[in-house]
Amino acid sequence: MEREGNDCDVGDTSLTTSLFDGEASVLSSTFLLDHVGEVTVTFHSDRLNWKLVGSLDNDVSTCLRVKYFPKAATEIKLSEIYAVELNGHGSIYISSLPPASECLLLGQDIQMYRFTVHGFIRSKNQPSQCILADYTFGHTNLQVCRKWVNQLNASLKQEVGRPKNLLVFVHPRSGKGNGCRTWEAVAPIFSRARVETKVIVTERAGEAFDVMSSITNVELNSYDGVVAVGGDGFFNEILNGFLSPRFKAPYPPTPSDFVHGVKDNGDSLVHDGDEIVAETSSKMEDQFPLISSPKQFGSRISNLSSEDKAAEFPVPNEWFRFGIIPAGSTDAIVICTTGTRDPITSALQIVLGKRVHLDIAQVVRWKMTPRSEVEPNVRYAASFSGYGFYGDVITESEKYRWMGPTRYDYAGTMVFLKHRSYEAEIAYLDVESDEINLTSKRDYQGNLIRAIRSSHISERRICRTNCKVCNEKPNHASVGVCSLTPHLNSEETRWARSKGHFLSVGAAVISCRNEKAPDGLVADAHLSDGFLHLILIRDCPHASYLWHLTQLTRRGGSPLNFKFVEHHKTPAFTFTSSGDESVWNVDGEIFQAHQLSAQVFRGLVSMFASGPEV
């Protein structure tokens, strides 16, 4: 097909106009598609498709100026379009040879009026990753282009859930220090999608927390969500700033509630109950003056004015969502919620208004004696809380921040070589069947347990897009906050405990997948099922622990299939340290606690994400 300059007459203008002006549900016009040729474009209620005029094949490969345009790119769903722009007068490139040619050596630019449809396609190698795809259509009549743009934009406005106004926090030193560059790379996506963004580049640690905790409900209601450009720790800071003054819920039970009368798991290192409670050292009391009484349910210190409280900002909030554009060291939350560690994919899922619900763990630090009247120290975690090995690694890594993300590898090696274990007691709410918590029965039953557990693993349900497990969420509006912790409020609760020397104590809210642990800590953990995965690693030889860590790095590995590993699926647990102290690692942030308890709230917050693709 060969045409010259503005003499090109593409499409039937009168036909196009009448279709737009009428009540027809299907619109059709002829355009020139950049780098393809003359196509007939049809707009249905849920998609836009096009077909080459004639019967020529459209299998074109890259050669010189011509881009690869595969056969599959003959349509785009409305849900995959994030913006439509009128480009004005300019060049449309077409070939002077039939599109069926293997290599298009010749071609020409035709000056026309144009509009561009901005969308994405899925990567063939990584289905969760979105690749930007632009389709530019040209016509000799400006009004035709304008009417198509107006119609498409009007349809996009009908797409439910797409944000209009976002608050964006950028951590300039996150990960390898490329937070600002990451935002600059994705900012055009928000601009094209006509999403207003208020951008705050943080200048100090804790600034995002301070802004989120002090922002008024009136202003917060003007946003559709908040976006963190950074890592898991930065997101945790924003999350805590949001929840701390607003979320009203009972605290979890304290460790002292389970000193007596709690059944042991049968094979842990059990001591007399009188030996469990020990007075906190004066040093610990001075550093962390906390209380151990859970009777103050619902009491919180709030910095919100009475006028602002009247504005109301309910938590959970069905509309307000959180987004993460990855720029951190591990980005486990992004990988678990979007399936990939890709800023473009995250930005697209945000502007398209995707939504998944995410469990949040409430972690409370207590003092061992009830003398203080100070409020307990509360933190919220979206991915993982760990003690022992995990706490030592985060503490050691702080010495080597100049190394960037590699500091975690170095710190992990140093901590592994020290091989320190810590004496502690853990009580957990036992609501699962014996088959699910098989790893709590060890030693003399070891061989039998592993065989049964292997069968269970083969039947496990991995969390994916449209996950049936996560979609079975309670109705927050009708039954209130207590519905987020149904097991904790059940009259049939059973508590069990484990005591001994542990290399690590971990509680995973989600699978915690990352580039070094492709299946995560717990492969079949879900985003919103109301459970924590409590993983207790008892003291063991260096070689055994190394084999456990090696299994974490393998896709399809079995890191929980060891005699020294306990795995309990539970909605709540308590922790008491009985000897030398480590610290807790809460979503990548240090949290020092001698006594601690935690509970998970099901689907407490919503994320701009769709879950990993199959």
Side-chain angles (χ1 to χ4, degrees):
M1 177 178 65
E2 182 174 354
R3 302 184 186 265
E4 297 182 2
N6 292 332
D7 294 334
C8 176
D9 183 17
V10 180
D12 186 335
T13 303
S14 61
L15 174 62
T16 305
T17 303
S18 64
L19 283 169
F20 275 109
D21 294 339
E23 299 294 331
S25 60
V26 177
L27 311 176
S28 182
S29 294
T30 302
F31 293 94
L32 284 184
L33 178 55
D34 194 28
H35 288 92
V36 176
E38 191 173 13
V39 295
T40 299
V41 183
T42 305
F43 175 54
H44 302 272
S45 59
D46 64 340
R47 70 189 61 226
L48 189 71
N49 59 27
W50 52 89
K51 182 179 181 181
L52 278 168
V53 174
S55 58
L56 295 175
D57 190 9
N58 189 29
D59 192 3
V60 181
S61 59
T62 302
C63 188
L64 295 183
R65 300 176 58 192
V66 181
K67 297 180 182 179
Y68 178 78
F69 205 91
K71 286 182 179 180
T74 58
E75 72 170 21
I76 183 170
K77 297 178 181 178
L78 203 64
S79 59
E80 296 171 349
I81 299 174
Y82 70 90
V84 180
E85 290 183 307
L86 185 64
N87 304 123
H89 204 262
S91 298
I92 291 289
Y93 182 84
I94 62 172
S95 167
S96 59
L97 295 178
S101 302
E102 293 183 0
C103 189
L104 306 183
L105 298 175
L106 301 175
Q108 60 181 307
D109 292 328
I110 297 179
Q111 298 298 307
M112 315 184 76
Y113 296 103
R114 304 161 304 159
F115 69 92
T116 300
V117 176
H118 300 281
F120 71 91
I121 59 175
R122 294 284 180 184
S123 169
K124 292 182 178 180
N125 297 326
Q126 301 180 41
S128 291
Q129 184 172 344
C130 301
I131 301 174
L132 294 176
D134 296 337
Y135 309 97
T136 300
F137 299 91
H139 200 284
T140 56
N141 191 312
L142 174 60
Q143 293 304 315
V144 172
C145 293
R146 180 173 288 129
K147 288 179 179 179
W148 272 82
V149 170
N150 292 340
Q151 178 66 29
L152 288 170
N153 279 327
S155 298
L156 291 180
K157 289 181 179 179
Q158 302 303 315
E159 290 288 295
V160 177
R162 297 198 178 191
K164 302 298 182 185
N165 202 358
L166 296 173
L167 179 60
V168 179
F169 290 93
V170 180
H171 192 319
R173 294 175 297 279
S174 185
K176 296 181 179 180
N178 58 358
C180 290
R181 290 194 298 272
T182 299
W183 170 248
E184 291 170 359
V186 301
I189 295 176
F190 292 85
S191 178
R192 292 193 192 104
R194 300 180 182 178
V195 178
E196 296 291 332
T197 56
K198 178 180 179 180
V199 181
I200 299 176
V201 180
T202 59
E203 299 178 353
R204 58 176 175 82
E207 181 179 352
F209 176 91
D210 292 341
V211 172
M212 285 302 298
S213 60
S214 61
I215 189 173
T216 66
N217 286 341
V218 173
E219 183 178 355
L220 203 58
N221 273 314
S222 68
Y223 296 107
D224 299 312
V226 60
V227 175
V229 184
D232 294 338
F234 190 51
F235 172 73
N236 178 272
E237 180 183 331
I238 294 170
L239 178 70
N240 276 270
F242 170 78
L243 289 175
S244 294
R246 296 177 178 87
F247 184 49
K248 315 300 180 195
Y251 295 128
T254 68
S256 59
D257 292 335
F258 304 102
V259 169
H260 305 283
V262 178
K263 75 180 183 71
D264 189 79
N265 65 7
D267 61 344
S268 60
L269 302 177
V270 182
H271 297 274
D272 188 280
D274 295 335
E275 299 178 1
I276 297 175
V277 179
E279 287 295 322
T280 309
S281 67
S282 59
K283 179 180 179 181
M284 288 292 291
E285 288 190 2
D286 292 340
Q287 287 180 322
F288 317 118
L290 308 173
I291 66 174
S292 60
S293 173
K295 308 306 180 184
Q296 301 167 346
F297 287 170
S299 65
R300 292 291 188 274
I301 298 176
S302 176
N303 59 355
L304 301 179
S305 66
S306 57
E307 179 181 353
D308 189 53
K309 289 177 182 177
E312 294 188 359
F313 194 94
V315 179
N317 192 299
E318 287 296 321
W319 175 255
F320 194 86
R321 285 155 288 176
F322 292 83
I324 308 177
I325 297 177
S329 300
T330 56
D331 299 313
I333 299 176
V334 162
I335 294 175
C336 291
T337 55
T338 69
T340 183
R341 188 184 185 183
D342 176 52
I344 296 295
T345 299
S346 294
L348 286 170
Q349 295 204 4
I350 292 171
V351 299
L352 292 174
K354 300 298 183 180
R355 180 194 300 273
V356 294
H357 292 275
L358 190 65
D359 288 346
I360 299 296
Q362 182 192 60
V363 183
V364 182
R365 182 173 72 203
W366 306 94
K367 199 174 73 171
M368 293 197 68
T369 58
R371 292 191 296 268
S372 173
E373 296 181 357
V374 180
E375 283 281 316
N377 193 315
V378 180
R379 291 284 292 276
Y380 296 94
S383 61
F384 178 76
S385 298
Y387 183 86
F389 177 82
Y390 302 108
D392 292 348
V393 169
I394 197 70
T395 302
E396 185 76 13
S397 68
E398 287 298 306
K399 305 175 185 177
Y400 309 102
R401 276 196 167 270
W402 55 270
M403 298 175 64
T406 58
R407 69 183 185 273
Y408 295 112
D409 295 331
Y410 180 78
T413 301
M414 299 301 294
V415 171
F416 170 79
L417 293 175
K418 292 178 182 178
H419 201 66
R420 296 187 60 186
S421 65
Y422 300 91
E423 185 178 2
E425 177 171 341
I426 299 95
Y428 58 91
L429 188 59
D430 186 11
V431 297
E432 288 295 283
S433 67
D434 290 338
E435 183 175 344
I436 292 180
N437 278 330
L438 283 177
T439 46
S440 64
K441 303 290 192 298
R442 307 178 294 105
D443 295 334
Y444 64 91
Q445 294 179 343
N447 294 331
L448 174 62
I449 295 307
R450 284 195 293 274
I452 299 175
R453 193 187 317 121
S454 297
S455 174
H456 169 65
I457 290 175
S458 65
E459 299 174 357
R460 64 192 181 191
R461 290 186 287 180
I462 306 299
C463 194
R464 290 288 187 263
T465 301
N466 298 320
C467 175
K468 294 182 179 179
V469 174
C470 297
N471 285 341
E472 297 173 359
K473 69 181 187 70
N475 186 338
H476 301 156
S478 63
V479 290
V481 172
C482 289
S483 69
L484 305 178
T485 56
H487 300 290
L488 196 60
N489 293 281
S490 172
E491 296 181 356
E492 300 180 357
T493 58
R494 298 185 306 153
W495 286 83
R497 70 175 180 177
S498 289
K499 184 175 182 180
H501 285 83
F502 301 93
L503 292 174
S504 68
V505 175
V509 184
I510 55 180
S511 64
C512 300
R513 292 184 179 88
N514 57 73
E515 293 180 346
K516 295 183 179 179
D519 288 341
L521 296 176
V522 185
D524 56 346
H526 286 266
L527 297 177
S528 181
D529 64 352
F531 287 103
L532 294 166
H533 289 264
L534 184 62
I535 305 170
L536 311 179
I537 311 296
R538 291 184 175 272
D539 198 1
C540 64
H542 258 95
S544 298
Y545 192 44
L546 178 60
W547 185 236
H548 160 75
L549 295 176
T550 302
Q551 288 295 306
L552 286 171
T553 66
R554 297 182 177 180
R555 189 174 297 278
S558 301
L560 306 180
N561 194 15
F562 293 92
K563 292 181 179 180
F564 55 85
V565 177
E566 293 185 32
H567 172 211
H568 308 286
K569 193 173 178 181
T570 178
F573 73 93
T574 69
F575 167 89
T576 301
S577 173
S578 303
D580 295 336
E581 295 298 322
S582 177
V583 300
W584 281 85
N585 174 349
V586 179
D587 279 1
E589 300 297 321
I590 293 176
F591 191 57
Q592 294 179 295
H594 181 83
Q595 278 201 331
L596 174 146
S597 56
Q599 63 181 332
V600 65
F601 293 97
R602 187 175 187 182
L604 181 59
V605 300
S606 297
M607 300 289 295
F608 283 111
S610 61
E613 293 287 334
V614 177

